[in-house]
Structures are given as C-alpha cells and as structure tokens.
Amino acid sequence: MLARVAMGDREAFAALYRATSAKLFGVCLRVLIERAEAEEAVQEIYIKIWRNADRYAAGGYSPMTWLITIARNHAIDRLRKRRAMIIRGEAGGGTDGDGGSVLDRMADDAPGAEAQMIAQGDARRITGCLGELEPDRSEAVQRAYLSGETYADLAAHFNVPLNTMRTWLRRSLLKLKECLSR
Amino acid sequence: MSAQTPLSDDDRALAGEYVLGLLDEAEVEAFEARLLTDPALRDLVAEWAEAVVPMADGEDVPPPGTTWLNIEQTLFGNEAKSVPFWRKLGIGQAVFGAMAAAGLAFVVINGGLLQPDVPPRSQAPVMRADLAAQIAAEDASLVVAALFDSRTGEMRLNAVAGEMPTARARELWVIAGNSAPQSLGLLEVSGATVVHVPDALRGQMAGAVLAISDEPLGGSPTGAPTGAVLATGPVTAL
C-alpha cells in the first residue's frame, strides 16, 4: 500500500489513513498528552507520509514500524520545541532543548514513563528485556524514547554527571540489544 | 562504494542512541553519512527501530473526523485537476503494469476530469478495517495487501506487486483453523478488488490465512484450489 501511496495514489493514501490513523493518533497522544496538539501532529504526520512514501523502501523497516517511527519522531520534535519555547518564555521555533532542571520539572508533570509503557502483544519482548535492566536504567530508556529526553535531561533527572549518564545508558543499550537478539 | 566495517559494540550502542534520539546534531550528521554507505549499519538501525516501536504503540484512538478533511485540504485543496496517478511513475515503475488499468479508472472517476466539483473522497463510506493481511509470494513476485472490516464483512485488496494475468484467474481463499480453503472470489484484473466475506466466516478471519491460487478463467471449477498456490499471508489485527 505504501508503494501505491508513493506513486501518488490518493485512494491508497485514504485507505492507509483509515487503516492506521487510530494507531498513529494514539502514539501522538502518548507522547504529547495534549489532545489539540496531538491532532495537529497527526495531520502533519500524514502530510509527511504522503510526501515521503517513496523513501519507505530505503530503510528496511516493516511498514508499521516505519509509520510509527515517523509519528513518534514528529511528536518528539514538537514536544522538544514546546519545551524549548517554554524555557525561553517566548514563541517561535526552538532547537532541541537543553534545559536541565526546567525540563526535568516538565517531565515530572507528565504521566510517568512507566505508566505510558503498555505491555501488550509485540511489546512483551521489549518489556521483558527492559525488565532485565535495573529499574532506573530502564526508565531512562523509556524517558528518551517516549518523552524525547536528551542526555542533559536524563543527567539532571538522575542527578549524575552527563558523561556518566551517557556511559550508563550506552551500557544499558548494549544489554538491551543482547537480550533482544536472543 | 561501501565503507563497511564489522559492527562493534560501539556501533550497536550508537545505533540505539540514534533511534532513541539521543545523539546531538553533529553526531546525527556523522552517523547518517555512514548509514548511506553501510548496509549493515542500516540493518542495525532497522533492528533497533523494530525493537523499540512497541514502546510507543498502545491503545488506538481514532482522530476526529476533521483531521482527514484538513489533510486532504492541505495536500489536494488547490488542485482542481487532481494529482495524476503517474506523477511519481519513475519511482514505482515496477508495479505500474499491474496498476495501469486501476490508475486510469481512478483518474477518470476521482480526478475531477469529468466533474470538477466532484465531492472529495472522504465523503465515501468510511471503512474501519480492524484486520489486515499481506498476501505475498515467497519471492515477492506477487504481493496483495488486504484490509478487512469485520463489522461489515468488507475486504479490500490491492495488488502492490505483480501482474494480474488476463488469460488466467487469480482466486482468493481463506483457510480458517483446520477447515478446507473457502473461496472468497476472484481478484480483479485491475489489481483493486472488494469482496464481501460471508457472515459465517467473518468471526473466523482473525488468525486465518489468506491465499491466492492460479485458476482457469471463471475460477476453480471444483470449489477447491486446483492450480498453484501463488501467495499466502496470515490475517493479523491492526
């Protein structure tokens, strides 16, 4: 179906929307929490999908992974811009935030990353492997993926130096990868 | 032209950091430059992406109806004459043959050539597919995507790859549990087919297998597949 969308087939695009919009809107809501913003995000995401469907084959992702990844990345971009705007107390675009404690407070306002983690179906494998990590390391991975936290955010949250945070997380990623490959 | 290096732990972690969005701008740039020339690294990124996606996946929530209208308006709002189906032909050439007939019909019906004020597609009845299947040949020479709405029993099939012959028929079958294959009808030569699954079968679609067989024109004379099974695919929840 993505192949037909890439060819500019609007009917295929409509069918793709019907089949996947509830899933991608769910992803936007989980990342952005605010409904109005998630609605804007999901519109932008489908516009991106229409324009970029011809790039799908290049990544080697399964179709659903490709779509969810686009949705997640777009929602995270919006979330980071929103944070950056709030930190600077101004409107206008922002770069990826690097706001230490402010970001940290904001993240704490959002539902916990653990609460957002939904164990069902396919999620079992990653859930199982995250469960093999120490709880704070698994939380760090989830904060990065679902809340778009940077190393600076994570270092502030866990109250460790940035380099330590990175070493820590990279080691956790290797463990995770090893578990996922089993 | 490849700059492949054996994958190290460093790369394994780096690919994870890339997928999680933890790299800074310069690191992303450097990493993406390597991705262009290193297929093994690309595979690693795809593996990571597949692995972490379930974290973002959870309860489905349908967006409001206005969302689709806004998308259509943004993308197609000012195009009275519609986007030609072959707009991006260069990219999709491989599947164009199978799609050509459908494409022509599509432009005539939907392209506004005959009726410039034809209502937008979104006003067509909405299909709320809850099940889907990719019915594919092992060598991907034939790939048909199927969407199924178990409330209405409607199944829409689109040939994504492969040609529909005109001298033979392509018949669609469903194998539910241990039952014998039951015919769901013939695929249209255009590649786009809508079939209505009988009520008795609707409840058995989840977990069933769809298959396409090669049959004489008019379909199997016996009620069971008589020719080669060309493609199969499991029905899964969306």
Side-chain angles (χ1 to χ4, degrees):
Chain A
M1 194 175 330
L2 280 170
R4 292 187 61 184
V5 174
M7 289 165 70
D9 182 341
R10 282 196 210 168
E11 202 170 3
F13 182 57
L16 181 79
Y17 180 86
R18 287 192 293 270
T20 60
S21 56
K23 184 163 288 296
L24 299 196
F25 188 52
V27 170
C28 291
L29 276 174
R30 269 185 291 288
V31 171
L32 291 164
I33 316 293
E34 283 175 23
R35 201 176 161 95
E37 198 174 4
E39 285 176 22
E40 277 180 38
V42 80
Q43 282 176 31
E44 292 160 358
I45 286 162
Y46 277 94
I47 288 163
K48 250 187 192 176
I49 290 169
W50 171 257
R51 294 187 173 145
N52 295 324
D54 51 357
R55 297 195 206 154
Y56 161 65
Y61 294 15
S62 72
M64 214 54 221
T65 295
W66 189 74
L67 295 171
I68 294 175
T69 301
I70 288 183
R72 178 267 174 189
N73 289 353
H74 190 79
I76 293 289
D77 282 349
R78 281 193 77 115
L79 188 65
R80 285 177 172 176
K81 277 183 189 151
R82 191 214 290 170
R83 284 175 185 159
M85 252 159 66
I86 290 170
I87 289 158
R88 290 201 307 272
E90 61 184 47
T95 52
D96 290 351
D98 186 16
S101 61
V102 180
L103 278 175
D104 198 38
R105 257 184 281 128
M106 291 205 41
D108 284 343
D109 290 339
E114 301 92 323
Q116 294 177 29
M117 182 64 203
I118 292 157
Q120 67 161 66
D122 293 345
R124 261 180 251 134
R125 205 157 69 109
I126 182 88
T127 310
C129 287
L130 283 169
E132 289 188 14
L133 300 177
E134 289 163 46
D136 49 356
R137 310 209 167 181
S138 137
E139 187 191 335
V141 172
Q142 293 173 52
R143 280 175 167 267
Y145 191 67
L146 285 177
S147 304
E149 296 200 7
T150 62
Y151 274 128
D153 306 333
L154 293 170
H157 177 80
F158 291 102
N159 201 19
V160 293
L162 197 137
N163 284 340
T164 311
M165 188 66 228
R166 187 163 191 182
T167 310
W168 225 65
L169 195 79
R170 284 175 60 92
R171 210 173 293 147
S172 306
L173 287 176
L174 285 175
K175 263 196 206 162
L176 199 58
K177 186 79 183 76
E178 195 253 331
C179 170
L180 290 164
S181 310
R182 276 209 289 268
Chain B
M1 63 173 243
S2 98
Q4 268 188 69
T5 44
L7 292 172
S8 60
D9 272 359
D10 188 53
D11 284 342
R12 264 183 279 276
L14 200 61
E17 288 177 295
Y18 174 73
V19 168
L20 291 177
L22 284 166
L23 300 179
D24 65 32
E25 226 171 289
E27 289 168 323
V28 167
E29 221 167 273
F31 188 78
E32 288 183 342
R34 285 184 59 202
L35 277 183
L36 288 175
T37 56
D38 191 340
L41 201 59
R42 276 205 295 277
D43 289 349
L44 195 54
V45 167
E47 278 173 32
W48 266 114
E50 298 283 347
V52 298
V53 143
M55 283 200 281
D57 193 9
E59 199 194 335
D60 292 356
V61 185
T66 48
T67 303
W68 173 247
L69 296 177
N70 289 339
I71 293 167
E72 270 204 322
Q73 182 60 36
T74 307
L75 287 175
F76 315 124
N78 301 322
E79 296 175 41
K81 291 282 187 261
S82 156
V83 180
F85 181 68
W86 50 83
R87 188 172 61 116
K88 299 182 182 178
L89 179 58
I91 297 140
Q93 206 124 35
V95 290
F96 185 70
M99 293 292 111
L104 194 55
F106 173 72
V107 171
V108 172
I109 295 161
N110 196 43
L113 295 173
L114 303 176
Q115 294 168 283
D117 296 317
V118 76
R121 270 277 131 174
S122 57
Q123 292 179 11
V126 176
M127 183 192 191
R128 298 200 177 279
D130 51 344
L131 297 172
Q134 175 137 314
I135 315 165
E138 263 176 56
D139 61 0
S141 58
L142 175 64
V143 180
V144 175
L147 284 175
F148 181 63
D149 182 343
S150 42
R151 275 152 298 195
T152 61
E154 181 179 312
M155 184 182 291
R156 295 191 188 181
L157 300 114
N158 284 307
V160 179
E163 307 237 355
M164 292 292 152
T166 49
R168 298 278 296 171
R170 295 282 176 260
E171 192 157 0
L172 177 68
W173 305 88
V174 57
I175 300 129
N178 294 323
S179 323
Q182 300 185 62
S183 176
L184 292 178
L186 301 180
L187 298 185
E188 301 284 354
V189 177
S190 68
T193 307
V194 177
V195 300
H196 289 275
V197 175
D199 290 354
L201 276 171
R202 271 187 214 176
Q204 302 174 46
M205 293 303 289
V209 171
L210 293 175
I212 296 167
S213 71
D214 176 53
E215 300 293 341
L217 283 181
S220 161
T222 68
T226 59
V229 173
L230 304 171
T232 60
V235 180
T236 54
L238 278 173

